Amino acid sequence: MSEGGAAEVKLLKPRKPLPDVGEIVVGTVQEVHDYGAYLILDEYGGVRAFLPWSEIASRAVRNIHAVLKPRQKVVVKVIRVYRNRGQVDVSLKRVMDSEKKRKMMFYKRYLKAATLVELIADKLGKSVDEAYREVLWRLEDTYGDPMKGLEAAVLQGREALEKAGVPEEWIEPLLEAAKTHVRVKTVKITFYLTLRSMAGDGVERVRKVLEAAKSEIESFKDSKVVARIYAVGAPKYRVELQGYNYKTLEKALERMVEAARKTASKLGVEFSFERED
C-alpha cells in the first residue's frame, strides 16, 4: 500500500553525489508502505532513500502510517550506500533528539541562505551552479555554514565576503540583501555595580567611576557591543551589555568591572560587583 506522490521540495545542490555511511541528512517522505518508506534527500538534489520498517523506531510500530506521512520532513542517518544505483538506506531510530535538532537548524539556515543567494544570482544573470560555486560553498568553507557568512556580512560589511573569496560582482548585492533579510541574534549580559562615597563631591566621583567603566566599550566598537547603565536606586547601578557573541561580552564585562574597580579605588569610592544569574 502506498500513499501520496512526490512532494514539492526545494532541493539543495550537493558537493558530492551521495552521502557517506553514518552521515545525518534531511529527507522528505514521498511514499509510505507497510514495509517502509521512500524519501528524497533534500541536501543531495533529490537522491532516493529507503527507510525500512525496522529502522523507524526503537519500539514496535504497529501502524507505519501513524508515524510517517507524505511530505513530512525527517532527519535520518545513512546506514547503507548503493553507489552503482545512486540510492541509500537510512534509519530514523538511530538519530538522537539532539542530533535532529542541530541538523534541522543547520538545514533551515542553509536553505534560507541558498534561497537568498539564488535570487541574487537570477538578478545578476548567474546560474544556480554559479551561485553555489562562487558564493554558498565559499561561505560554507570559511564560516561553517553560508548563513553565518551572511550574518558576518551584516556585522562586518564587505570584508566578511572578501575573506571568503566571493567575487566582486556579488558583494554589493549580497550586502544589500543581507542587511534587509538577515537578522543577527543578539545576546545580553547584566551585572550590577554598587558605588558609595561619603565625600562632599561623592556624586561626581561615582559619575567618574561609571564613565571609566563605559569608556572601555570603545575598544569593542568593531564587535558592535553596546553598554547601557541605569540607576536602580543609589548606590546601585544596573549595567546591560548587548552584542552578538557571549565571549566578546564576557571580555567587555571584565574590562568594565576592572576599570570601575581601579577608578573607585583611586577616588575613594566604595565598590562592589554582582553578576545577574
Side-chain angles (χ1 to χ4, degrees):
M1 177 181 176
S2 66
E3 293 183 33
E8 292 178 11
V9 181
K10 162 76 174 169
L11 299 174
L12 296 175
K13 184 176 175 60
R15 301 185 77 162
K16 55 187 178 182
L18 291 169
D20 299 318
V21 172
E23 191 171 334
I24 295 174
V25 294
V26 174
T28 301
V29 178
Q30 278 192 307
E31 304 169 17
V32 182
H33 301 265
D34 291 335
Y35 55 83
Y38 288 97
L39 325 174
I40 58 172
L41 302 185
D42 300 46
E43 301 158 290
Y44 281 88
V47 164
R48 191 168 168 84
F50 177 58
L51 171 60
W53 174 84
S54 60
E55 291 292 336
I56 291 173
S58 300
R59 56 182 174 76
V61 175
R62 292 184 181 180
N63 183 359
I64 189 173
H65 304 283
V67 179
L68 295 172
K69 305 288 183 187
R71 300 178 182 269
Q72 180 180 345
K73 291 272 189 238
V74 289
V75 177
V76 291
K77 180 175 283 188
V78 177
I79 56 175
R80 282 178 290 274
V81 178
Y82 305 99
R83 298 199 179 275
N84 57 332
R85 285 186 276 160
Q87 295 179 355
V88 300
D89 288 348
V90 295
S91 171
L92 188 59
K93 73 179 185 181
R94 302 191 200 191
V95 185
M96 295 185 295
D97 287 342
S98 59
E99 291 174 318
K100 289 178 185 176
K101 187 175 179 181
R102 281 197 303 271
K103 180 63 184 183
M104 192 54 75
M105 184 179 297
F106 177 87
Y107 166 75
K108 287 179 178 178
R109 285 169 57 82
Y110 205 117
L111 184 63
K112 182 177 179 181
T115 301
L116 189 60
V117 174
E118 286 179 31
L119 285 172
I120 296 169
D122 188 56
K123 291 178 182 176
L124 293 174
K126 297 273 191 177
S127 67
V128 171
D129 285 354
E130 288 172 313
Y132 276 82
R133 197 169 57 246
E134 297 178 2
V135 179
L136 289 162
W137 291 343
R138 294 187 185 194
L139 292 177
E140 183 180 7
D141 288 341
T142 303
Y143 295 100
D145 83 66
M147 185 53 72
K148 278 188 181 176
L150 294 177
E151 289 169 348
V154 173
L155 298 176
Q156 301 165 22
R158 64 185 295 119
E159 271 182 34
L161 301 175
E162 290 171 344
K163 179 182 175 182
V166 173
E168 179 64 33
E169 61 195 307
W170 285 91
I171 289 180
E172 286 307 320
L174 280 171
L175 284 175
E176 185 180 341
K179 287 173 183 175
T180 304
H181 300 290
V182 176
R183 295 285 174 266
V184 185
K185 255 185 158 181
T186 59
V187 291
K188 188 168 74 171
I189 287 178
T190 301
F191 64 95
Y192 295 89
L193 297 176
T194 300
L195 305 169
R196 288 190 183 90
S197 174
M198 303 305 292
D201 61 346
V203 172
E204 180 62 19
R205 296 187 187 200
V206 167
R207 186 182 65 78
K208 286 180 178 178
V209 173
L210 294 174
E211 283 181 352
K214 195 164 184 179
S215 68
E216 290 298 315
I217 293 301
E218 274 300 305
S219 58
F220 294 91
K221 186 169 57 177
D222 291 343
S223 299
K224 294 186 169 27
V225 174
V226 175
R228 297 181 180 88
I229 300 177
Y230 306 93
V232 177
K236 200 168 187 178
Y237 298 86
R238 175 188 173 96
V239 184
E240 290 181 357
L241 291 178
Q242 189 170 5
Y244 298 96
N245 182 286
Y246 270 118
K247 286 185 179 178
T248 304
L249 292 188
E250 291 288 352
K251 287 180 185 175
L253 181 152
E254 288 175 14
R255 294 270 291 273
M256 288 184 76
V257 170
E258 186 57 25
R261 193 192 312 275
K262 283 183 178 177
T263 306
S265 176
K266 182 180 176 182
L267 296 176
V269 175
E270 184 183 333
F271 170 91
S272 68
F273 157 73
E274 178 189 354
R275 176 80 175 263
E276 184 173 87
D277 294 332

